[in-house]
Amino acid sequence: MKMTLQHLDLRLAHPFTIARGSISTQRSLVVRLEHGGEYGLGEVSENSYYGHTIESMCDSLALVQPLLRDCADPTGGDWPGGDWPAQLWQRTSQTLVNDMFALSALDIAAHDLWAKIQGVPLYQAWGLTWNEIPASSYTIGIATIDEMIAKLNEQAGWSIYKIKLGTANDLEIVRQLRQHTAAIFRIDANCGWGYQETIDNAAELAQMNVQFIEQPLPIDAPAAERERVFTESKLPIIADEACQIEDDVDRCHRCFHGVNIKLCKCGGLTPALRMLHHAKSLGLKTMVGCMIESSIGISAAAHLLPLLDYADLDGATLLQQDPAEGVKILQGRVELTGRPGSGARLA
């Protein structure tokens, strides 16, 4: 099996700002796995907050080249139910235990390749059916209120907007945006609030057609503060930064009402599938989010939609120009390509 790497510079349509900072260009890494005349694609964005650069991820993936040369044949008929990607993940995760981002791109490529060899879309390869699919939100990054209103109006017609907060005038931002749409709002504070601030804000936001609040408290917030927010908030609280790897699902139980799983943090589709099934068994709401990435990464994550209550898959929509094509997100409605695998390919 041959692996090749390519890095993309993804220019955003607008500067994107959250509580931790602002960017205008996002670098991402594409992994291509080839076997028997077929190929699979995976993608992961570099991220300074989590300490992963294109260079560090390339170095990590170089360590698994020998394993790829010796891995089992994905074209064999004795790997039912996703066992081949899961076996490959198990072998490579031992080497990439400190680089979930690199592991994620590799795992996405493996699933894409495996489903293409079978000639079916990813969700079918996993035994899922495409019905009752949730709509995706569109994200409005932090800016001046006038700029945030302009971004909303530029993308009018979505049924759900995710509003990034963590400023000195968060409630006023939502009040002003509410005057321009009747759509559902979701709030993401990216660890920018304290516990009493969260409880107070939730009471106000519950009156403004806000569906939930995502990760208001810092990841290291004391357990007592997380428990107070969980029990006293007028809105559901969804974990993001607090739910990165598989063990975090249990830690989020009874501290959050749901979990937002991102492929890059957990190590790819293989663990994400396990996490989603486990979260549902615990009664947690399930969500999959994204980073700013091309349609390669978005298309892979979209095949998880049959397992989700909520989705935030607008990463490619935020780009000035998408260097890939795949699943389309049309005002929140997700349309598959009809091609096998994830359906994504470089344009």
Side-chain angles (χ1 to χ4, degrees):
M1 181 173 295
K2 178 183 178 183
M3 177 176 66
T4 55
L5 307 177
Q6 177 182 353
H7 106 256
L8 305 173
D9 289 321
L10 307 175
R11 185 172 293 279
L12 280 72
H14 302 285
F16 188 76
T17 302
I18 64 174
R20 290 192 295 266
S22 180
I23 60 171
S24 297
T25 300
Q26 174 68 65
R27 300 173 79 204
S28 79
L29 179 67
V30 174
V31 173
R32 178 183 173 112
L33 289 181
E34 298 179 55
H35 184 87
E38 191 55 89
Y39 71 91
L41 296 177
E43 181 185 18
V44 66
S45 298
E46 100 175 342
N47 190 293
S48 59
Y49 179 75
Y50 292 100
H52 298 290
T53 65
I54 297 296
E55 293 74 20
S56 68
M57 292 186 290
C58 287
D59 289 343
S60 294
L61 289 166
L63 300 175
V64 300
Q65 283 279 17
L67 294 175
L68 294 177
R69 287 193 292 267
D70 299 333
C71 71
D73 184 353
T75 62
D78 55 348
W79 302 107
D83 286 355
W84 179 77
Q87 183 194 46
L88 182 63
W89 188 92
Q90 187 62 38
R91 294 187 65 186
T92 54
S93 65
Q94 297 172 36
T95 301
L96 299 176
V97 65
N98 294 317
D99 196 338
M100 292 290 108
F101 276 54
L103 179 59
S104 172
L106 177 64
D107 183 67
I108 293 169
H111 278 269
D112 187 31
L113 171 62
W114 172 75
K116 283 179 177 175
I117 288 170
Q118 297 179 68
V120 298
L122 264 177
Y123 76 91
Q124 286 187 16
W126 297 329
L128 303 177
T129 56
W130 196 260
N131 51 39
E132 299 184 14
I133 301 304
S136 172
S137 56
Y138 179 82
T139 303
I140 308 294
I142 294 172
T144 67
I145 291 179
D146 286 343
E147 289 170 332
M148 293 177 78
I149 291 171
K151 290 178 183 180
L152 186 149
N153 290 332
E154 184 180 291
Q155 292 287 338
W158 289 66
S159 59
I160 309 167
Y161 293 94
K162 179 175 176 177
I163 314 301
K164 294 284 191 177
L165 296 179
T167 74
N169 59 337
D170 285 341
L171 293 178
E172 184 60 25
I173 288 172
V174 181
R175 291 190 190 101
Q176 292 295 323
L177 291 174
R178 176 48 70 212
Q179 296 180 28
H180 295 267
T181 179
I184 293 169
F185 284 168
R186 295 169 180 170
I187 300 303
D188 186 359
N190 282 113
C191 307
W193 292 350
Y195 78 93
Q196 190 61 54
E197 183 181 15
T198 300
I199 293 168
D200 293 343
N201 285 350
E204 294 285 334
L205 294 169
Q207 308 302 314
M208 291 186 262
N209 196 21
V210 170
Q211 190 175 39
F212 61 70
I213 300 172
E214 188 177 337
Q215 194 70 45
L217 302 184
I219 191 171
D220 59 353
E225 294 184 1
R226 295 199 305 270
E227 291 167 7
R228 278 199 61 187
V229 168
F230 176 72
T231 57
E232 297 181 32
S233 171
K234 297 295 185 183
L235 290 171
I237 305 297
I238 307 298
D240 181 1
E241 286 85 349
C243 188
Q244 298 183 33
I245 59 175
E246 291 185 66
D247 288 346
D248 289 336
V249 175
D250 282 323
R251 285 189 278 266
C252 288
H253 189 218
R254 297 191 178 91
C255 292
F256 294 89
H257 302 92
V259 292
N260 180 10
I261 294 168
K262 292 182 178 174
L263 303 184
C264 59
K265 298 179 189 178
C266 70
L269 292 164
T270 294
L273 285 162
R274 296 193 292 253
M275 292 170 76
L276 290 168
H277 284 295
H278 185 45
K280 292 175 83 69
S281 76
L282 295 174
L284 291 163
K285 293 293 187 180
T286 55
M287 177 178 176
V288 164
C290 64
M291 300 300 194
I292 295 170
E293 52 199 83
S294 80
S295 286
I296 295 172
I298 298 300
S299 295
H303 284 263
L304 295 168
L305 282 164
L307 295 173
L308 305 185
D309 296 296
Y310 313 123
D312 179 35
L313 298 175
D314 64 341
T317 309
L318 301 172
L319 300 180
Q320 190 177 102
Q321 183 174 359
D322 189 349
E325 58 184 27
V327 166
K328 294 186 183 300
I329 313 291
L330 304 173
Q331 293 184 324
R333 188 181 74 256
V334 180
E335 292 188 358
L336 299 180
T337 66
R339 295 189 290 268
S342 73
R345 58 193 181 191
L346 285 166

